[in-house]
Coordinates of all heavy atoms in Angstrom, one line a residue:
N299 N 126.6 121.9 118.6 CA 127.6 121.4 119.6 C 128.5 120.5 118.9 O 128.1 119.4 118.4 CB 126.9 120.8 120.7 CG 127.8 120.3 121.8 OD1 129.0 120.3 121.7 ND2 127.2 119.8 122.9
A300 N 129.8 120.7 118.8 CA 130.8 119.9 118.2 C 131.5 119.0 119.3 O 132.0 119.6 120.2 CB 131.8 120.6 117.4
A301 N 131.5 117.7 119.1 CA 132.1 116.9 120.2 C 132.4 115.5 119.6 O 132.1 115.2 118.5 CB 131.0 116.7 121.3
T302 N 133.0 114.7 120.5 CA 133.3 113.3 120.3 C 133.2 112.6 121.6 O 133.0 113.3 122.6 CB 134.6 113.1 119.5 OG1 134.7 111.7 119.1 CG2 135.8 113.4 120.4
F303 N 133.5 111.3 121.6 CA 133.7 110.7 122.9 C 134.8 109.6 122.8 O 135.1 109.1 121.7 CB 132.4 110.1 123.4 CG 131.6 109.3 122.4 CD1 131.8 108.0 122.1 CD2 130.6 110.0 121.7 CE1 131.0 107.3 121.1 CE2 129.8 109.4 120.7 CZ 130.0 108.0 120.4
V304 N 135.4 109.4 123.9 CA 136.5 108.5 124.0 C 136.3 107.5 125.2 O 135.5 107.8 126.1 CB 137.9 109.2 124.2 CG1 138.2 110.1 123.0 CG2 137.9 109.9 125.5
K305 N 136.9 106.4 125.1 CA 136.9 105.4 126.3 C 137.4 106.0 127.5 O 138.4 106.8 127.5 CB 137.7 104.1 125.9 CG 137.0 103.3 124.9 CD 136.1 102.3 125.6 CE 135.7 101.2 124.7 NZ 134.7 100.4 125.3
E306 N 136.8 105.8 128.6 CA 137.1 106.3 129.9 C 138.6 105.9 130.2 O 139.4 106.8 130.8 CB 136.3 105.7 131.0 CG 136.6 106.3 132.4 CD 135.7 105.7 133.5 OE1 135.0 104.7 133.2 OE2 135.6 106.3 134.6
S307 N 139.0 104.8 129.8 CA 140.4 104.3 130.1 C 141.5 105.2 129.3 O 142.7 105.2 129.6 CB 140.6 102.9 129.7 OG 140.3 102.6 128.3
N308 N 141.0 105.9 128.3 CA 141.9 106.8 127.5 C 141.9 108.2 127.9 O 142.5 109.1 127.3 CB 141.6 106.7 126.0 CG 141.9 105.4 125.4 OD1 142.7 104.6 126.0 ND2 141.3 105.0 124.3
F309 N 141.1 108.5 129.0 CA 140.9 109.9 129.4 C 141.5 110.1 130.8 O 141.3 109.2 131.7 CB 139.4 110.2 129.4 CG 139.1 111.6 129.9 CD1 139.1 112.7 129.1 CD2 138.9 111.8 131.3 CE1 138.8 113.9 129.5 CE2 138.6 113.1 131.7 CZ 138.5 114.1 130.8
H310 N 142.2 111.2 131.0 CA 142.8 111.5 132.3 C 142.6 113.0 132.6 O 142.9 113.9 131.8 CB 144.2 111.1 132.4 CG 144.5 109.8 131.9 ND1 144.3 108.7 132.7 CD2 145.0 109.3 130.7 CE1 144.6 107.6 132.0 NE2 145.0 107.9 130.8
W311 N 142.1 113.3 133.9 CA 142.1 114.7 134.3 C 143.5 115.1 134.7 O 144.2 114.3 135.3 CB 141.2 114.8 135.5 CG 139.7 114.6 135.2 CD1 138.9 113.5 135.6 CD2 138.9 115.5 134.5 NE1 137.6 113.8 135.1 CE2 137.6 115.0 134.5 CE3 139.1 116.8 133.9 CZ2 136.5 115.6 133.8 CZ3 138.0 117.4 133.3 CH2 136.8 116.8 133.2
I312 N 143.9 116.3 134.3 CA 145.2 116.8 134.8 C 145.0 117.7 136.0 O 145.7 117.7 136.9 CB 145.8 117.6 133.6 CG1 146.2 116.6 132.5 CG2 147.1 118.3 134.1 CD1 146.6 117.3 131.2
S313 N 143.9 118.6 135.9 CA 143.7 119.5 137.0 C 142.3 120.1 136.9 O 141.6 120.0 135.8 CB 144.7 120.7 137.0 OG 144.6 121.4 135.9
G314 N 141.8 120.6 138.0 CA 140.6 121.4 138.0 C 139.3 120.7 138.2 O 138.2 121.3 138.1
Q315 N 139.3 119.4 138.6 CA 138.0 118.7 138.8 C 137.2 119.3 139.9 O 135.9 119.3 139.8 CB 138.3 117.2 139.2 CG 138.6 116.3 138.0 CD 138.8 114.9 138.4 OE1 139.9 114.5 138.9 NE2 137.7 114.1 138.3
S316 N 137.8 120.0 140.9 CA 137.0 120.6 141.9 C 136.3 121.9 141.4 O 135.4 122.4 142.0 CB 137.9 121.0 143.1 OG 138.9 122.0 142.7
K317 N 136.7 122.4 140.2 CA 136.1 123.6 139.6 C 134.9 123.2 138.7 O 134.3 124.1 138.1 CB 137.1 124.3 138.8 CG 138.3 124.8 139.5 CD 137.9 125.9 140.5 CE 139.2 126.4 141.2 NZ 138.9 127.2 142.4
I318 N 134.6 121.9 138.6 CA 133.5 121.5 137.7 C 132.1 121.5 138.4 O 132.0 121.0 139.5 CB 133.8 120.1 137.1 CG1 135.0 120.2 136.3 CG2 132.6 119.6 136.3 CD1 135.5 118.8 135.8
S319 N 131.2 122.2 137.8 CA 129.8 122.2 138.2 C 128.9 121.4 137.2 O 129.3 121.3 136.0 CB 129.2 123.6 138.4 OG 129.9 124.3 139.4
T320 N 127.8 121.0 137.6 CA 126.9 120.2 136.8 C 125.5 120.7 136.8 O 125.0 121.1 137.8 CB 126.9 118.7 137.2 OG1 128.2 118.2 137.2 CG2 125.9 117.9 136.4
F321 N 124.9 120.8 135.6 CA 123.5 121.1 135.4 C 122.8 119.9 134.8 O 123.4 119.4 133.8 CB 123.3 122.3 134.6 CG 121.8 122.5 134.1 CD1 120.9 123.0 135.0 CD2 121.4 122.1 132.9 CE1 119.5 123.1 134.7 CE2 120.1 122.2 132.5 CZ 119.2 122.7 133.4
Q322 N 121.7 119.4 135.3 CA 121.1 118.2 134.8 C 119.6 118.4 134.7 O 119.0 118.8 135.7 CB 121.4 116.9 135.5 CG 120.9 115.7 134.8 CD 121.6 114.4 135.2 OE1 122.5 114.5 136.0 NE2 121.1 113.3 134.7
K323 N 119.0 118.2 133.5 CA 117.5 118.2 133.4 C 116.9 116.9 133.9 O 117.6 115.9 133.8 CB 117.2 118.5 131.9 CG 117.6 119.9 131.5 CD 117.2 120.2 130.0 CE 115.7 120.3 129.8 NZ 115.1 121.6 130.1
P324 N 115.7 116.9 134.3 CA 115.0 115.7 134.7 C 115.0 114.6 133.6 O 114.9 113.4 133.9 CB 113.6 116.1 135.0 CG 113.7 117.6 135.3 CD 114.8 118.1 134.5
T325 N 115.1 115.1 132.3 CA 115.1 114.1 131.2 C 116.4 113.3 131.1 O 116.6 112.4 130.3 CB 114.9 114.9 129.9 OG1 116.0 115.8 129.7 CG2 113.6 115.5 129.8

Side-chain angles (χ1 to χ4, degrees):
N299 179 353
T302 192
F303 43 88
V304 299
K305 287 275 197 184
E306 182 180 15
S307 58
N308 292 340
F309 179 87
H310 308 283
W311 291 109
I312 296 172
S313 64
Q315 282 183 276
S316 65
K317 300 291 185 197
I318 297 173
S319 294
T320 299
F321 167 78
Q322 188 160 352
K323 291 180 72 79
T325 60

